[in-house]
Amino acid sequence: MSTTCCSTTAEEPAPALPVVETPSSGCCSIPEPAGKAAEEEASSCCGTEKPEPVEASGCCDAPAAEPEPAASGCCGPQEERAEPAEVRTGLSLDDAIAALGGGVPQATDPTPYAQVDWLRATEASLQGAKAWHTVADRGEGDIAFLPGYVFDVDPIVDADPRTLLGWQPKDGTSACCSATTSCCESATDAVEALGTDAFFPSLLLGSPLGYRSEATASVEDPLLVADLVDRVVPAAMEAGIRSITAPWLHDSAYSDVLALALQAYGGDIAFHGENNLLDLQHDSYDAYLASLPSRKRRRVKEDRERADDSGTRIERKDREELRPLIGRITELVTQNRQKYEGGEDEAHIGALLTALVEGGADIRAYLVHKDDAVVAASVMVRRGKRLFVKWAGFDYEALGERSGVYFEIALDRPLRDAFAEGITAIEAGPGADEAKRLRGFRPGQIRSVVLVADSTLRPKVAELHAAYGQARRETLGAAGEAAPTTAIGRLKAKLLGSTAYEPIKPLQPEGGCCG
């Protein structure tokens, strides 16, 4: 029985997906009314193009009237109204990069998982993934990019929209960090009763092997994302897409707008998980460690002593130094993924590692040697002043289950180097939550959105999605959320379901499937 998520067989290549362009059309792009309806329309929110002049009556000429200010109804003042961006969707990666002017826009500080090399390796290694990227161009250099992939029936389980409803395939393969509780035992039957045609073909927005649904832009303007969605959804439906998902929306203004825009088209938003984040606010590692409570400092010291007593040697390798080690690192990470039921398999990990090295990414690995063998590795990527902990792999037969090595190579040593290099934040992903929270990491919420084309199925999909989100909360040990204290907080919570983060219990021991 397969324990990985890539046991599908190759399928016949699908016909090329259409590339759809949308010209700018102003805020009231509705068909022009006729007759009396036209007269009534002329006095609606956008007003007339040129108001009719008023003729003077009576013998005395009235002084000329002051010019009327620009219409300020739903469309806003004419001179201040921003035209919607021109949006092209259904693009290949090469066409998208050409439309972006040669590279992914960087103003919004995108993760490594939205970069060209990562996306190219994703498409090359992920069976059945067909590029459906979107670019919005408002002119004057204002551009935005949203990666996406179309999948036919039976993609890897992490990319399957049914997984977000509590469904699991019959072969027992689980999605990364899945939650199976009593409330979702019947979810598989309920989802399968809806039929595969309710979900496939499916469009996944984001980077499926980066576990990130992320838009990037050249300007700090989240409304560009709304322009993207305004074309992505209709174009996908016109092309026969049956469901659209954004499975991994991390906390950000862009993610909030993406979620709300999809919700406006009938999508459903639910809790999906939590990410571990640490802001490095101290001058040095010693100062950071001193800021922790004594109980936590003692635990960190104990973890380090266990690693020192494990009979291993640890070294760091960077960039090109990793090329001859890619094969061994891939083996170790794959073993970990299989142990904790992660979606990536050996082909994915090897392709992504190779792409990062060959693309010149700031990639590093901490390697554990025992005798003459590499028995553990953790891999992370630096982007600007942020460090992303992506993979960890261990030979548990050589190290044992509680060697302490995980904490040293995935958390403590990277933390010491991060302070020395001036890195300001570390994103460590889910998994090993207790160890990360012990070291001061805080949880950042992840949400998922599911939108099905068949509007009659949306209530049932929303019911299943909400139940699975709640099951994940319970499995992760999420407590009740604090009520927002501000008006904007209450509005955001009402629209998105919640914005607060909660402490969660450890789901896996060392590393887990997602980090």
Side-chain angles (χ1 to χ4, degrees):
M1 180 179 295
S2 172
T3 58
T4 64
C5 299
C6 298
S7 55
T8 56
T9 57
E11 300 184 16
E12 290 297 319
L17 297 169
V19 175
V20 185
E21 298 191 26
T22 302
S24 298
S25 56
C27 69
C28 293
S29 54
I30 56 176
E32 291 190 4
K36 183 177 179 180
E39 296 176 3
E40 295 173 352
E41 185 67 20
S43 61
S44 67
C45 74
C46 286
T48 57
E49 181 78 12
K50 294 181 180 179
E52 293 295 325
V54 178
E55 295 181 0
S57 60
C59 63
C60 298
D61 290 335
E66 293 292 327
E68 291 291 332
S72 59
C74 70
C75 297
Q78 185 71 24
E79 66 273 15
E80 296 179 4
R81 188 173 71 221
E83 293 294 335
E86 178 181 331
V87 179
R88 301 177 64 196
T89 191
L91 297 172
S92 68
L93 183 58
D94 287 339
D95 288 343
I97 297 306
L100 291 168
V104 173
Q106 301 295 319
T108 52
D109 198 16
T111 68
Y113 319 127
Q115 302 302 316
V116 175
D117 293 326
W118 185 279
L119 297 175
R120 199 177 299 284
T122 296
E123 189 173 342
S125 65
L126 185 54
Q127 185 179 28
K130 297 184 284 288
W132 180 289
H133 305 307
T134 305
V135 173
D137 188 346
R138 191 184 284 159
E140 299 183 356
D142 292 0
I143 53 177
F145 173 54
L146 178 62
Y149 295 88
V150 171
F151 295 90
D152 293 325
V153 177
D154 294 333
I156 63 168
V157 68
D158 284 326
D160 196 312
R162 297 171 294 179
T163 302
L164 300 175
L165 309 183
W167 172 88
Q168 285 187 300
K170 288 184 171 60
D171 65 3
T173 305
S174 298
C176 182
C177 302
S178 62
T180 53
T181 66
S182 58
C183 79
C184 293
E185 289 177 355
S186 62
T188 294
D189 291 338
V191 172
E192 290 189 348
L194 300 178
T196 56
D197 290 345
F199 301 98
F200 295 101
S202 177
L203 171 60
L204 185 150
L205 300 177
S207 177
L209 297 182
Y211 297 97
R212 182 77 67 138
S213 297
E214 175 183 22
T216 70
S218 62
V219 290
E220 295 282 353
D221 183 0
L223 290 181
L224 268 174
V225 176
D227 286 343
L228 286 167
V229 174
D230 270 339
R231 190 58 205 136
V232 168
V233 174
M237 299 306 175
E238 290 167 12
I241 302 299
R242 303 305 298 160
S243 68
I244 300 174
T245 63
W248 309 287
L249 289 165
H250 292 237
D251 282 336
S252 74
Y254 273 76
S255 291
D256 289 349
V257 170
L258 181 56
L260 292 174
L262 290 169
Q263 185 184 59
Y265 277 97
D268 183 73
I269 305 170
F271 173 89
H272 188 74
E274 288 182 318
N275 182 29
N276 288 291
L277 308 162
L278 178 64
D279 294 321
L280 305 187
Q281 301 174 341
H282 299 86
D283 294 333
S284 67
Y285 177 80
D286 289 339
Y288 147 78
L289 196 62
S291 72
L292 297 178
S294 59
R295 177 183 61 84
K296 293 185 177 182
R297 290 200 306 273
R298 185 169 60 252
R299 283 283 305 276
V300 171
K301 181 182 178 182
E302 291 170 356
D303 289 338
R304 187 181 301 172
E305 289 174 347
R306 281 196 294 143
D308 291 341
D309 294 339
S310 64
T312 62
R313 174 176 60 86
I314 298 174
E315 66 172 346
R316 170 178 160 177
K317 296 286 188 180
D318 289 62
R319 300 178 185 261
E320 277 292 331
E321 294 176 326
L322 293 174
R323 190 182 291 274
L325 296 162
I326 288 176
R328 179 55 179 161
I329 293 172
T330 299
E331 290 175 3
L332 290 167
V333 175
T334 301
Q335 289 176 24
N336 224 56
R337 284 294 192 260
Q338 291 175 346
K339 181 180 176 69
Y340 295 112
E341 300 179 324
E344 297 160 308
D345 70 6
E346 192 166 352
H348 304 146
I349 297 164
L352 295 169
L353 274 169
T354 301
L356 289 169
V357 171
E358 293 183 347
D362 190 348
I363 180 174
R364 61 193 66 180
Y366 295 86
L367 307 169
V368 179
H369 298 264
K370 189 168 187 178
D371 299 327
D372 295 328
V374 176
V375 294
S378 69
V379 181
M380 46 210 70
V381 187
R382 177 176 177 172
R383 284 283 308 162
K385 291 193 174 183
R386 291 190 297 166
L387 188 65
F388 296 84
V389 182
K390 176 54 184 169
W391 291 294
F394 303 88
D395 182 343
Y396 285 103
E397 290 186 5
L399 287 169
E401 291 286 339
R402 304 296 295 178
S403 65
V405 166
Y406 167 79
F407 308 108
E408 183 68 11
I409 66 171
L411 297 174
D412 295 325
R413 186 142 325 178
L415 260 172
R416 293 196 289 273
D417 287 350
F419 276 105
E421 295 173 29
I423 289 171
T424 59
I426 296 180
E427 179 177 311
D433 304 295
E434 184 179 30
K436 293 168 185 174
R437 307 291 164 80
L438 180 74
R439 288 158 173 79
F441 284 80
R442 61 178 176 82
Q445 192 161 135
I446 304 171
R447 291 183 176 85
S448 59
V449 180
V450 181
L451 167 61
V452 292
D454 188 342
S455 60
T456 65
L457 298 180
R458 289 174 187 169
K460 184 62 176 178
V461 166
E463 175 189 335
L464 292 165
H465 193 207
Y468 186 58
Q470 183 58 32
R472 291 182 67 85
R473 284 185 185 276
E474 294 172 0
T475 299
L476 293 171
E481 298 171 300
T485 58
T486 63
I488 189 64
R490 288 191 294 271
L491 176 62
K492 194 174 179 184
K494 184 175 180 61
L495 292 173
L496 289 174
S498 170
T499 58
Y501 59 78
E502 310 121 346
I504 63 176
K505 298 175 183 177
L507 188 61
Q508 299 92 14
E510 296 186 353
C513 69
C514 298

